[in-house]
Amino acid sequence: MSTTTRRRKGTAATLAAIATTSLLVACSTEQSPATTTTTAGPPTGKVTLVTHDSFELTDEQKADLEGLGLDVEVTQLGDGGTLVNQLILTKDSPLGDVAYGIDNIFGARALEAGVFADHASPALPDAAKDLLLEGSTALTPIDQGDVCINVDDRWFDAHPDVPVPATLDDLADPALKDLVVLTNPATSTPGLAFLAATVGAYGEDGYLDYWTSLKDNGVKISDSWSDAYYVDFSGGGEGGPRPVVLSYGSSPAYTLDGDESTTSSLPATCFRQVEYAGVIAGSDNPAAAGALVDYMLSADFQAALPDTVYMYPVDPDVDLPEAFEKFGPLAEKTITVDPATLAENRDAWIESWTDTMLG
């Protein structure tokens, strides 16, 4: 209740600021002589938001958008990879006006395909500008989080003879034989993020050797994050047999028992995901679509992200839930891969991984 109250506080001022900003942007592009005046209001109308299955607008957000004069319809298109594929396949007949949920692994591919129109959001905080994809403002960063290995602390407390892993190398330790579950990078965006992490850690000449060592150590590959976490992971609530799983750095904030979490993430294994929103090229209502992207950077929308998509806002000034800050902080240092290298080699890495692990 207190969280909801905090989010709603200042909503009127926030919406007014967004509407004013949109009006100023519209005026700046439409007024030539300094003496020109306009009576046009902020952009309004119907906007179709296409996104992944993990996102829905809350009732508060729907009310906020109605207050802005935006009639937003949400269409879910599967996971992040499916979302991008569908946007590319339908770019000549767009499925909507705004897309949200394109991550930094697929972002360059969508930009190269010409899926998005340029929209340099005036609402983007200065602190988040380094999250823009290089050479483009068409995709606006909205949230971020880490894909990391998680462990079931209670399982390891009950098995003191098994060392708690801390690094990627540790997952190949024979002491963890048949105790690790990961996800398929061909069917899961966290799985793809972890594949990228292994390329970042071991290089293009060494990552498949690392995966081979995991295969030899009995790693299980699930098709989806939900199967891995809720079915195979011992700490996911369903009593699975494996105490080590690929999940998110924020996941321990949602496995609380009283004042403590029953799981932990391993910071040395994390790969940073950034999710973006963009105005789809060919939108029937591009001005209103831009206003929706700007709204996603409002304090209210940003503050809701930990509860709606379990991610961190890109605005560092937004208050976070206490458990999120205590048990699911962003890693201070993550494993990285050059975005251009990632975009160029992603499909080849997946194909080679599939041949090695599933062939």
Side-chain angles (χ1 to χ4, degrees):
M1 179 66 73
S2 61
T3 300
T4 301
T5 303
R6 185 183 70 241
R7 286 186 193 142
R8 298 297 299 171
K9 184 178 179 182
T11 294
T14 301
L15 298 184
I18 291 171
T20 301
T21 300
S22 297
L23 178 59
L24 289 174
V25 170
C27 289
S28 68
T29 58
E30 295 175 3
Q31 291 179 352
S32 296
T35 56
T36 298
T37 59
T38 180
T39 58
T44 59
K46 182 177 180 179
V47 179
T48 297
L49 171 65
V50 293
T51 183
H52 50 55
D53 287 344
S54 302
F55 177 74
E56 294 181 2
L57 289 171
T58 67
D59 290 341
E60 292 178 352
Q61 290 164 349
K62 291 176 182 175
D64 289 349
L65 292 164
E66 289 173 3
L68 284 171
L70 298 176
D71 176 15
V72 179
E73 179 180 291
V74 176
T75 300
Q76 297 171 320
L77 293 179
D79 68 10
T82 301
L83 171 63
V84 171
N85 287 334
Q86 288 295 309
L87 290 169
I88 292 173
L89 289 172
T90 61
K91 72 171 188 174
D92 295 327
S93 182
L95 297 173
D97 303 287
V98 173
Y100 163 58
I102 299 92
D103 70 13
N104 47 325
I105 294 179
F106 288 99
R109 180 180 176 187
L111 291 176
E112 290 171 2
V115 169
F116 294 101
D118 194 32
H119 174 71
S121 176
L124 184 65
D126 287 342
K129 289 182 177 177
D130 62 352
L131 299 177
L132 287 166
L133 294 174
E134 186 175 359
S136 175
T137 57
L139 284 174
T140 301
I142 304 298
D143 58 65
Q144 58 186 326
D146 296 329
V147 174
C148 312
I149 297 297
N150 277 220
V151 297
D152 177 357
D153 295 323
R154 286 181 169 175
W155 189 96
F156 281 98
D157 287 343
H159 299 79
D161 54 321
V162 181
V164 181
T167 68
L168 296 179
D169 284 348
D170 291 344
L171 304 188
D173 186 333
L176 292 180
K177 187 172 180 61
D178 299 332
L179 296 179
V180 179
V181 56
L182 307 176
T183 49
N184 186 336
T187 59
S188 157
T189 49
L192 182 53
F194 188 70
L195 174 62
T198 63
V199 174
Y202 299 102
E204 294 188 69
D205 295 330
Y207 80 101
L208 288 176
D209 290 338
Y210 172 71
W211 279 98
T212 299
S213 70
L214 295 182
K215 184 177 182 179
D216 293 343
N217 207 34
V219 67
K220 181 175 181 179
I221 305 296
S222 292
D223 282 340
S224 69
W225 171 84
S226 58
D227 283 345
Y229 196 84
Y230 291 119
V231 178
D232 296 305
F233 181 44
S234 60
E238 299 296 330
R242 296 180 181 244
V244 184
V245 67
L246 179 66
S247 190
Y248 295 90
S250 60
S251 297
Y254 301 94
T255 56
L256 301 182
D257 184 3
D259 295 331
E260 298 297 329
S261 177
T262 62
T263 63
S264 300
S265 68
L266 310 181
T269 65
C270 298
F271 183 87
R272 180 67 44 83
Q273 267 190 320
V274 181
E275 287 194 314
Y276 298 83
V279 176
I280 299 175
S283 163
D284 291 333
N285 195 354
L292 174 56
V293 172
D294 299 344
Y295 168 74
M296 291 180 176
L297 293 170
S298 67
D300 295 330
F301 188 92
Q302 290 278 294
L305 289 167
D307 290 332
T308 53
V309 290
Y310 313 124
M311 298 285 272
Y312 270 79
V314 294
D315 185 343
D317 295 327
V318 170
D319 291 336
L320 296 170
E322 182 179 348
F324 213 72
E325 291 190 286
K326 184 175 181 180
F327 298 111
L330 289 170
E332 294 183 2
K333 183 179 180 181
T334 58
I335 301 170
T336 61
V337 177
D338 175 68
T341 302
L342 180 55
E344 181 179 353
N345 296 286
R346 178 192 55 245
D347 293 344
W349 294 342
I350 292 173
E351 184 176 352
S352 296
W353 179 92
T354 301
D355 289 343
T356 299
M357 299 299 290
L358 307 180

